[in-house]
Amino acid sequence: MSFSRDYRYLWASMEGAIHEDGPLASAAYANAPVRFTKFDVKSKRAVGQYGYLLDAIAAEPIPKTAFSINGIPEILNISNNRFLVLERSFSTGVENCVIKIYLADFSQATNVSTTKSLYRNTNYKPATKKLLFNFNALERYIDNVEGITFGPVLPNGHASLILIADNNFNPKEKQQVFLFEIIP
C-alpha cells in the first residue's frame, strides 16, 4: 500500500493475480495481471482499479514442481499516478531472489473496477512500466526484499531510497538493507 503524495488517496496492490484474473506468473507465463486499487481516503471508498502486468518468474524452481513466485511485495507512490513497483521473483533451489524496481505509470490505464476477469477480457490498457533497476547488477546475494521507502536527504542534496529484506525468523534467510542515491 502507498498513500498519494498529498494523502488524498491510498493505493493498494495485490501481490499476484486474483483467481478471476487467471493464473499466477510462472517461468513460462509473463503478464499475469495484478490489480491496483485506488481508495479515496476521505470517503473510504474505492474510486478506481487498474491492471499491472507482472514479469515471468526469473528461473524454474528445482525441482520443477517446487514452489516459485513472482509478485509485488511493495509499492511507493512518487507522483500523481506514478509508482516505484518492487517485483520479487523467488524459486526454490535457486540461491538469489530476483528483485526489480519498475517505474509504473497509471495515468493512461483503463479503470477495470467493473471488469470481472482481466485474463479473459484483455480489452483494457494496463499501466506502463519501465525497468529502473535489477538487483542482479549488484553481483551479490540478494534475499527476499519486501520493503521500499524514501530515505533521508543525502549531504549532497540528493534524495535517497531504502529497501529492506527481513529474514522471516529463518536462519537460512538474511536481513539486508540497501541505500540508494536518487540522481536527478
Side-chain angles (χ1 to χ4, degrees):
M1 293 191 310
S2 184
F3 281 102
S4 60
R5 303 292 279 169
D6 62 4
Y7 295 98
R8 185 173 171 202
Y9 300 104
L10 176 66
W11 288 75
S13 164
M14 301 303 292
E15 185 168 358
I18 61 173
H19 176 77
E20 293 81 5
D21 289 338
L24 297 173
S26 70
Y29 173 55
N31 297 326
V34 175
R35 291 179 187 249
F36 278 60
T37 304
K38 181 179 181 181
F39 293 93
D40 180 279
V41 172
K42 191 178 274 188
S43 71
K44 299 180 179 154
R45 295 189 182 273
V47 294
Q49 195 170 68
Y50 309 90
Y52 173 96
L53 304 179
L54 280 174
D55 288 358
I57 292 174
E60 288 280 353
I62 303 168
K64 284 190 174 196
T65 57
F67 178 77
S68 61
I69 188 171
N70 188 39
I72 300 172
E74 186 71 284
I75 61 175
L76 180 63
N77 183 269
I78 60 170
S79 66
N80 190 28
N81 298 318
R82 293 175 22 149
F83 294 83
L84 295 180
V85 176
L86 203 56
E87 284 196 34
R88 182 227 27 240
S89 180
F90 168 80
S91 296
T92 300
V94 176
E95 184 179 15
N96 282 340
C97 289
V98 174
I99 308 297
K100 296 176 183 176
I101 302 172
Y102 282 96
L103 173 62
D105 189 336
F106 291 83
S107 298
Q108 302 298 315
T110 306
N111 183 347
V112 295
S113 57
T114 61
T115 303
K116 293 186 189 294
S117 174
L118 300 182
Y119 183 68
R120 301 210 186 283
N121 176 6
T122 57
N123 190 25
Y124 69 95
K125 186 172 182 182
T128 60
K129 68 188 242 190
K130 175 184 174 186
L131 180 64
L132 296 179
F133 188 72
N134 184 333
F135 275 68
N136 285 349
L138 297 176
E139 297 181 355
R140 59 175 291 186
Y141 175 78
I142 305 296
D143 213 314
N144 188 19
V145 177
E146 295 182 300
I148 186 171
T149 189
F150 290 113
V153 174
L154 300 173
N156 65 5
H158 292 170
S160 67
L161 193 65
I162 298 173
L163 292 99
I164 190 162
D166 67 7
N167 68 359
N168 293 309
F169 304 104
N170 182 341
K172 294 180 181 177
E173 294 183 39
K174 301 213 182 298
Q175 294 177 331
Q176 296 175 305
V177 177
F178 300 93
L179 173 65
F180 292 95
E181 175 182 7
I182 300 172
I183 300 173

